[in-house]
Amino acid sequence: MTKILLRDKLDDCLTRWHAAGFDVVGPVRKNNISQYATVKKAGELDLGIILPDRTLKDLFFPQTEPMFSYRISKQKIDTEEYLPPGRQRIIFGARACDASAMAIDDPLFGWDYQDTYWFKRRNETVIVTIACTAADEFCMCTSLKLAPDSTQGSDILLRPLGDNRGWQVEELTDRGREAFSRIEALLEESPAQTAALADVPIKFDLDLCREWLQNPENFESHFWKEISMRCIGCGTCTFLCPTCHCFDFQDEGDTYTGIRRKNWDSCSFALFTMHTSGRNPRSTQSARWRQRIMHKFNYFPGKFNLNSCSGCGRCTRECPVDMGIIETLQEITKLSQ
Amino acid sequence: MSIQEQYRKKAAELLSSGEVKLVIGYGSGSTPDRRRALFARTADDAALFHVDAACDANLSGYLVNEGLLSDKKKIGIFLKPEGIRSVNILAAESQLDPDQIVILGFTEENGTVSGLQGTQASDFTSLMTALKENRTTSEKEQALVDKIEAMTPQERFAFWQAEFEKCIKCYACRQVCPMCYCKRCIVDNNQPQWVHTSSHTLGNFEWNLVRAFHLSGRCVECGGCDRACPVNIPLRLINRRMANEVLDAFDHFSGMNQNQEPVLASFKKDDPETFIL
Ligand code: SF4
Ligand code: SF4
Ligand code: SF4
Ligand code: SF4
């Protein structure tokens, strides 16, 4: 006997969570794009999809974020700091790859400096993940040693029931337990069987790839040029990646008054490494692609013992020229065999 | 022989005879319905080319990749009519020498591809005239266009605001576009900062307006940006509207030939002056 949450109780859950002061966020399809967005009613949630087009990082690390405003006068400099609005949130229906991605980025944002914006939102959010029963040809969590029911980054894991009437509830953290105590009365005890998880075949050998990437001889390999020849250097694969976290600061306004903002940036852009002198140490797209792969599968694991990839597959699914990391890592696996 | 077989053979001949150093075409993609750019250097590589209805990308943008044409050697490339128009514009704007480009032209209609006669951009002049005379829009697309045209300015603004709010400034629309070859795009300039780099509604509007204007009379409606946009902003609607404007006002159909003057950078005495008070 385990605890289950029935689908038809979802509206009542939302009412109780709203009453307890939580915003409820989940996958929503609107305006021809699916993303995690705030909902009022359960009917707005689009839980039947494989995964949303946009990622969970949008909710913790938005594409543009005001940090403070400044006003400089002869006598003094006034600043006003902006902090994310302090709202408790429940994300209902995250995917395991997206939730894992948040756990992957936690050490990054808390390494030499605690990123206030990231951790404030992380601490105010309960992530309720639904394990996947379907995957597409780009899903690759298993290649990253994760799974459709990985628990990293999640506060609650829901396993779909075989009859699709609801989910088996697995409470993972105190924050999750606290949120679910609000809907305790709506949960049931049941012996119902859970549905089979999505079958996600392993696409490359991560350990072999890491070994190859660690070998300094391969840094200048012709492979990088060949594999990235068609890359057009856009921001699609980085901006739609739940773990990519690079940003840039921009002062909007003039010398005397304005706003400092933190904006997404991408290692795929030529401008990313451009010096003020005009010299660009990563002057070719192949050097930029190498950086992306090296960072995710060599440097990041070297520093944090985690791959900076949760296998959501968006980089490959959405790349306008059909690149993405799957092929690159498959080719590296072949090279190192 | 199917058009695919013919073109594989032709590409192989071009490469083995040494007439071209490279052929840019379409190879298989990561799923059966995807095609991707394939760069063939040997006759063996040429056997991997596909020519079918799934070959939708306009590959001409690769021609202006830094240094690719600077050795004066020729390059073969698979192009649909829109791609040939792009080559004409790139030639007119001094970005390439059309004599270096050997075209393997093809066209697609209702899922069937057929080859085009000619190998030089200048061989396709009558095709360009025909395209200009017969601009077509699917019924579904026309319905959407009509819906937007029928809106009040406020409604139309709200429509585009909702669309541009989705923009993440990934610049895939720019990077994929053969006409967006500027070494430094105006949005990447910061001395002065003409355009907000932030991806907020204002910054997104600014970017999309800059894109629309800079491509007026230069866009060939290959649809590359529209397909590339990861958040599905219907960029083709903007492109079509701007193409209609320059056609109506200046009788300008972009990429007709290699001598065409850029419509927004040239002046004729009989240009309409409807907007000058
Ligand atoms: S791999 Fe694809 S999505 Fe990533 S930068 Fe290159 S073209 Fe853009
Ligand atoms: S690198 Fe690709 S597969 Fe990995 S998390 Fe990022 S978008 Fe997903
Ligand atoms: S603006 Fe879009 S449709 Fe027009 S030429 Fe560029 S990529 Fe093609
Ligand atoms: S491709 Fe779409 S999201 Fe990216 S910059 Fe262009 S309009 Fe914006």
Side-chain angles (χ1 to χ4, degrees):
Chain A
M1 295 287 263
T2 43
K3 250 189 260 181
I4 63 162
L5 164 61
L6 289 175
R7 209 176 264 275
D8 57 18
K9 295 280 171 58
L10 211 46
D11 255 327
D12 294 337
C13 293
L14 260 62
T15 309
R16 291 189 186 208
W17 281 326
H18 283 141
F22 286 104
D23 285 345
V24 181
V25 176
V28 170
R29 185 162 189 90
K30 201 183 134 214
N31 239 339
N32 209 13
I33 181 100
S34 75
Q35 57 189 319
Y36 296 100
T38 309
V39 293
K40 290 272 165 283
K41 292 259 174 252
E44 296 166 48
L45 292 167
D46 192 7
L47 298 174
I49 53 171
I50 294 195
L51 83 174
D53 301 329
R54 301 282 306 261
T55 79
L56 209 52
K57 92 173 162 192
D58 299 354
L59 300 176
F60 299 93
F61 171 38
Q63 62 205 50
T64 178
E65 166 134 65
M67 302 181 73
F68 60 83
S69 64
Y70 58 88
R71 182 179 294 275
I72 302 173
S73 61
K74 280 209 179 77
Q75 288 78 29
K76 58 182 174 87
I77 302 173
D78 289 318
T79 58
E80 187 195 339
E81 197 179 353
Y82 300 124
L83 275 179
R87 297 281 304 175
Q88 299 292 318
R89 302 183 291 189
I90 293 180
I91 296 171
F92 189 90
R95 283 304 183 203
C97 52
D98 273 348
S100 307
M102 302 303 98
I104 288 172
D105 276 358
D106 279 340
L108 179 277
F109 282 113
W111 149 47
D112 53 348
Y113 165 78
Q114 284 276 317
D115 187 290
T116 321
Y117 300 84
W118 176 267
F119 287 107
K120 182 158 191 295
R121 290 190 172 102
R122 288 287 280 134
N123 293 333
E124 286 166 357
T125 309
V126 180
I127 300 182
V128 182
T129 297
I130 300 182
C132 300
T133 52
D136 70 8
E137 56 267 68
F138 303 106
C139 289
M140 52 174 192
C141 49
T142 49
S143 308
L144 275 304
K145 303 183 184 175
L146 293 165
D149 62 346
S150 285
T151 54
Q152 283 93 324
S154 301
D155 298 294
I156 300 278
L157 181 72
L158 298 179
R159 294 175 184 278
L161 297 179
D163 57 11
N164 203 24
R165 283 169 58 238
W167 307 271
Q168 199 180 74
V169 180
E170 194 178 324
E171 293 171 347
L172 302 165
T173 64
D174 287 342
R175 208 159 8 152
R177 261 184 287 280
E178 203 277 325
F180 267 56
S181 70
R182 315 280 179 155
I183 56 161
E184 191 65 49
L186 299 168
L187 301 178
E188 290 174 23
E189 288 288 331
S190 160
Q193 291 296 307
T194 56
L197 291 175
D199 175 25
V200 186
I202 293 181
K203 295 182 157 57
F204 46 79
D205 187 318
L206 192 61
D207 296 324
L208 282 183
C209 289
R210 175 98 199 272
E211 253 173 60
W212 192 88
L213 293 170
Q214 280 179 314
N215 182 349
E217 276 174 28
N218 294 327
F219 193 76
E220 297 292 352
S221 166
H222 197 64
F223 166 78
W224 296 114
K225 273 210 155 51
E226 288 296 320
I227 197 80
S228 64
M229 197 123 74
R230 64 183 182 281
C231 175
I232 54 172
C234 67
T236 305
C237 58
T238 42
F239 290 176
L240 291 189
C241 172
T243 64
C244 273
H245 47 253
C246 287
F247 56 82
D248 181 30
F249 290 121
Q250 283 285 329
D251 286 349
E252 279 184 6
D254 56 33
T255 316
Y256 303 103
T257 162
I259 293 179
R260 175 160 296 179
R261 305 184 76 96
K262 180 170 155 188
N263 293 340
W264 285 354
D265 204 348
S266 167
C267 61
S268 303
F269 295 155
L271 204 64
F272 188 72
T273 42
M274 180 79 88
H275 294 179
T276 41
S277 66
R279 193 186 108 82
N280 194 344
R282 276 184 224 139
S283 59
T284 58
Q285 202 55 39
S286 56
R288 301 192 265 275
W289 183 246
R290 176 182 61 200
Q291 163 63 23
R292 183 155 197 266
I293 300 294
M294 283 285 184
H295 185 207
K296 287 192 171 297
F297 305 102
N298 186 12
Y299 312 147
F300 201 92
K303 190 160 185 67
F304 300 115
N305 205 19
L306 284 165
N307 290 287
S308 175
C309 170
S310 63
C312 73
R314 287 183 183 91
C315 54
T316 312
R317 201 177 283 114
E318 301 294 341
C319 170
V321 297
D322 195 30
M323 277 207 13
I325 66 159
I326 297 179
E327 187 197 13
T328 299
L329 295 186
Q330 280 174 335
E331 291 300 316
I332 295 180
T333 303
K334 277 190 218 156
L335 286 176
S336 44
Q337 262 160 1
Chain B
M1 218 191 316
S2 72
I3 168 81
Q4 177 164 292
E5 285 309 316
Q6 282 174 40
Y7 274 16
R8 282 181 180 174
K9 205 163 151 251
K10 200 164 154 188
E13 282 165 12
L14 285 170
L15 286 161
S16 46
S17 70
E19 187 179 343
V20 302
K21 63 165 179 179
L22 173 77
V23 178
I24 309 175
Y26 306 87
S28 342
S30 56
T31 62
D33 56 344
R34 285 190 178 190
R35 296 287 174 268
R36 54 160 72 144
L38 177 73
F39 302 84
R41 290 211 178 72
T42 64
D44 286 349
D45 296 345
L48 303 172
F49 279 135
H50 286 269
V51 188
D52 54 34
C55 300
D56 50 10
N58 177 355
L59 303 174
S60 61
Y62 288 115
L63 293 172
V64 289
N65 273 7
E66 209 168 328
L68 194 58
L69 290 165
S70 52
D71 58 6
K72 301 287 168 209
K73 291 193 181 137
K74 289 189 181 180
I75 289 181
I77 183 164
F78 287 71
L79 293 176
K80 288 209 271 193
E82 299 79 31
I84 303 173
R85 289 168 64 193
S86 315
V87 169
N88 277 336
I89 299 178
L90 291 169
E93 297 181 358
S94 310
Q95 297 306 307
L96 54 75
D97 172 359
D99 292 343
Q100 271 179 274
I101 314 299
V102 179
I103 296 171
L104 294 105
F106 68 101
T107 173
E108 183 258 335
E109 208 172 343
N110 303 323
T112 323
V113 285
S114 38
L116 292 171
Q117 288 297 319
T119 51
Q120 293 276 297
S122 52
D123 297 340
F124 300 90
T125 327
S126 53
L127 172 71
M128 297 304 151
T129 315
L131 287 175
K132 182 183 172 190
E133 301 309 323
N134 295 307
R135 298 177 74 230
T136 51
T137 317
S138 72
E139 251 172 63
K140 194 172 149 225
E141 193 71 359
Q142 192 57 47
L144 187 55
V145 170
D146 293 343
K147 192 181 126 200
I148 296 169
E149 296 286 345
M151 289 177 179
T152 64
Q154 288 78 11
E155 287 167 342
R156 210 177 304 136
F157 187 82
F159 172 85
W160 286 112
Q161 179 160 352
E163 289 298 335
F164 293 154
E165 266 170 11
K166 299 189 296 185
C167 176
I168 51 175
K169 286 208 173 177
C170 66
Y171 298 127
C173 50
R174 174 185 75 184
Q175 296 304 101
V176 82
C177 177
M179 270 47 259
C180 281
Y181 54 74
C182 295
K183 285 277 167 294
R184 193 144 190 181
C185 179
I186 188 168
V187 302
D188 291 339
N189 269 324
N190 58 359
Q191 292 291 343
Q193 185 87 57
W194 296 106
V195 175
H196 287 97
T197 53
S198 305
S199 178
H200 42 43
T201 309
L202 175 62
N204 292 348
F205 254 96
E206 289 172 333
W207 159 241
N208 278 283
L209 289 177
V210 165
R211 196 196 71 84
F213 274 92
H214 199 189
L215 288 157
S216 304
R218 301 174 66 246
C219 167
V220 294
E221 296 188 81
C222 67
C225 51
D226 189 273
R227 286 189 298 271
C229 179
V231 297
N232 307 325
I233 299 174
L235 297 170
R236 64 185 182 284
L237 296 176
I238 302 173
N239 301 334
R240 165 107 319 196
R241 177 59 198 258
M242 299 311 266
N244 287 346
E245 288 287 322
V246 291
L247 193 60
D248 292 347
F250 306 105
D251 192 34
H252 181 100
F253 182 68
S254 58
M256 283 289 276
N257 58 57
Q258 300 154 25
N259 308 313
Q260 193 181 39
E261 293 196 347
V263 72
L264 294 188
S266 57
F267 172 75
K268 292 196 196 76
K269 269 194 276 184
D270 57 352
D271 277 348
E273 294 183 357
T274 47
F275 56 96
I276 297 174
L277 297 173

